[in-house]
Amino acid sequence: MSQTTTYLAKHVKELKPSGIRRFFDLAAGMKGVISLGVGEPDFVTSWNLREAAITSLEQGYTSYTANAGLIELREEIAGYMQKQFSVSYHPESEIIVTVGASQAIDIAFRAILNPGDEVIIVEPCFVSYAPLVTMAGGVPIHVQTLKENDFKILPSQLEEVITERTKAIMLCSPNNPTGTMLNKAELEKMAELAVRHDLLVLSDEIYAELVYDEPYTSLASIEGMRERTILLNGFSKGFAMTGWRLGFVCAPEDITQGMLKIHQYAIMCASTMAQYAGLEGLKNGRENVEEMRKSYRQRRNFIVQSLNDMGLTCHNPGGAFYAFPSIESTGLTSEEFAEQLLKAEKVAVVPGNAFGGSGEGHIRCSYATSLAQLQEAMKRIKRFIENL
């Protein structure tokens, strides 16, 4: 251990590096790799959004915006949330524009958690949730969903781990990495539990635009949940703006104003030109969103059918752009499968255990790549399984 390591905080030294990053690094040094590991759209941000950002620069809009973001953008977000998801927020006091949805999650935890407060995290899940809880002084309590239930959380599972220290539930629907989406009836059961135990719910709805089989229901639109939901969303997935780092959070005023204090000191405001691009997306970007959704739906149908046909059992994901097949039939662990597949056939996937214990025995395959690439990847994976 080097001398400088001793200066690191104990909780930082104990954080584990992202399990996703290791496989990206392995694949980066290889030629001819087809990556099904990247969790971002393969579409380029629509030209009208890029042009709006360019125009903002040409017009000299290069200074800070209000800490909470451009009021014009917050007004559009409020209208968007009302029109698309039937939930109302005040743009002046209940919406903050953030540096991606990830920053929104970070400041939400820091705003609500006292040392030792517990947050129930539904697994498999996005890799950042538990570390952000820990860094905010909280205690992550992991609840593993089951493939037999298509990775849908059951209220009875949550009941088993709720204690007097439980402050909140972290929920993502549609889910990363499984693509599982909770319908309105299932969310109503979650709402009843949250109300009965007086819990907050952080609802990560970043994939709300990418649903394929039934209408999306925002948790905040369920009766009794607006006042106890911290709704997290952004432009990365639905508007193909990952590199712009533009998100937003909607919540009751007391909570957003607490979050805003942290945001002011840590960030100041989101990128001005990115905000103008997002503004254009909400005003004139619906057609592009619909085109992406149709394309993803076609790819989802193809990849799920292909995986099942080759013997890798895979449920039909209701949203996002991930398939989460079981590789248990191969006798390999998730990491063994991913590493051997990469070396033998040059296909990059993410081992399921990167997303929590219940992800073991699975791999995450992103279908946010061209259909031609997916077809070739499926041929390679099938050949790899046959040669085991």
Side-chain angles (χ1 to χ4, degrees):
M1 181 184 296
S2 67
Q3 182 178 350
T4 52
T5 303
T6 63
Y7 297 123
L8 287 175
K10 181 175 180 289
H11 69 276
V12 173
K13 286 192 283 188
E14 292 174 350
L15 285 178
K16 296 179 180 179
S18 167
I20 299 177
R21 273 268 69 91
R22 187 167 75 86
F23 281 85
F24 285 170
D25 293 341
L26 283 173
M30 301 175 66
K31 293 183 179 180
V33 172
I34 298 176
S35 178
L36 306 184
V38 181
E40 66 175 337
D42 61 316
F43 295 93
V44 175
T45 306
S46 299
W47 168 245
N48 62 313
L49 278 67
R50 288 179 280 152
E51 186 177 39
I54 293 168
T55 300
S56 75
L57 292 174
E58 291 176 337
Q59 293 179 344
Y61 298 153
T62 58
S63 59
Y64 296 129
T65 69
N67 294 134
L70 290 167
I71 186 59
E72 305 99 299
L73 177 55
R74 284 179 280 147
E75 288 171 346
E76 284 295 328
I77 290 171
Y80 167 75
M81 295 305 298
Q82 178 64 59
K83 182 178 180 181
Q84 295 296 121
F85 308 113
S86 302
V87 59
S88 176
Y89 291 100
H90 299 296
E92 298 87 356
S93 59
E94 296 185 317
I95 298 172
I96 305 172
V97 179
T98 59
V99 183
S102 293
Q103 192 229 344
I105 300 168
D106 181 26
I107 62 175
F109 283 138
R110 287 201 272 168
I112 67 170
L113 294 179
N114 293 307
D117 283 348
E118 296 175 351
V119 178
I120 298 173
I121 298 178
V122 178
E123 289 187 353
C125 66
F126 180 46
V127 296
S128 294
Y129 295 156
L132 290 176
V133 170
T134 300
M135 287 189 284
V139 179
I141 303 297
H142 303 275
V143 177
Q144 298 185 352
T145 55
L146 304 173
K147 66 179 181 180
E148 292 79 10
N149 297 327
D150 290 341
F151 297 101
K152 290 191 174 187
I153 187 66
L154 302 177
S156 59
Q157 292 179 279
L158 299 176
E159 290 275 10
E160 291 176 1
V161 298
I162 292 174
T163 72
E164 61 182 15
R165 299 293 299 174
T166 306
K167 186 69 169 285
I169 299 169
M170 181 74 234
L171 190 66
C172 180
S173 175
N175 177 272
N176 172 14
T178 66
T180 293
M181 186 180 82
L182 300 178
N183 61 34
K184 185 177 181 180
E186 291 160 340
L187 288 172
E188 286 173 341
K189 293 178 182 178
M190 294 286 293
E192 188 277 328
L193 178 141
V195 171
R196 179 157 42 85
H197 290 281
D198 191 24
L199 301 177
L200 288 170
V201 180
L202 283 79
S203 183
D204 186 348
E205 304 186 4
I206 191 68
Y207 295 99
E209 287 285 4
L210 305 178
V211 298
Y212 309 116
D213 302 316
E214 55 185 319
Y216 184 77
T217 299
S218 171
L219 181 65
S221 70
I222 302 295
E223 184 178 356
M225 287 307 296
R226 185 192 181 281
E227 59 266 32
R228 61 179 66 251
T229 298
I230 301 176
L231 192 157
L232 309 147
N233 207 325
F235 296 81
S236 291
K237 313 301 183 180
F239 293 86
M241 292 180 66
T242 50
W244 298 79
R245 308 312 303 130
L246 190 66
F248 60 88
V249 56
C250 304
E253 181 175 355
D254 288 344
I255 295 176
T256 52
Q257 293 310 298
M259 293 173 66
L260 185 60
K261 287 188 284 187
I262 302 168
H263 179 72
Q264 287 171 338
Y265 291 122
I267 296 295
M268 186 68 75
C269 65
S271 162
T272 301
M273 69 174 185
Q275 292 190 56
Y276 279 105
L279 180 61
E280 172 64 18
L282 292 178
K283 285 183 174 180
N284 301 300
R286 296 303 311 166
E287 184 176 335
N288 296 320
V289 172
E290 292 299 327
E291 288 178 3
M292 285 190 284
R293 178 165 36 223
K294 289 178 182 177
S295 179
Y296 288 138
R297 189 176 192 277
Q298 178 188 18
R299 301 180 207 180
R300 179 205 63 170
N301 292 345
F302 168 76
I303 193 172
V304 170
Q305 183 68 51
S306 298
L307 290 166
N308 279 302
D309 285 348
M310 69 178 76
L312 300 183
T313 304
C314 184
H315 77 284
N316 200 38
F321 38 59
Y322 308 111
F324 202 63
S326 170
I327 51 88
E328 291 173 326
S329 61
T330 67
L332 301 175
T333 67
S334 295
E335 291 201 9
E336 289 170 344
F337 186 98
E339 285 194 33
Q340 292 182 31
L341 175 64
L342 180 61
K343 292 175 181 177
E345 293 290 350
K346 295 186 177 182
V347 176
V349 298
V350 181
N353 65 338
F355 306 98
S358 59
E360 179 53 62
H362 297 77
I363 55 172
R364 189 189 77 173
C365 302
S366 169
Y367 47 88
T369 190
S370 71
L371 188 58
Q373 287 279 81
L374 286 176
Q375 290 169 337
E376 176 61 26
M378 292 301 103
K379 290 179 183 177
R380 295 185 188 186
I381 293 174
K382 182 180 180 180
R383 185 167 61 214
F384 170 72
I385 294 171
E386 291 172 346
N387 291 334
L388 281 175

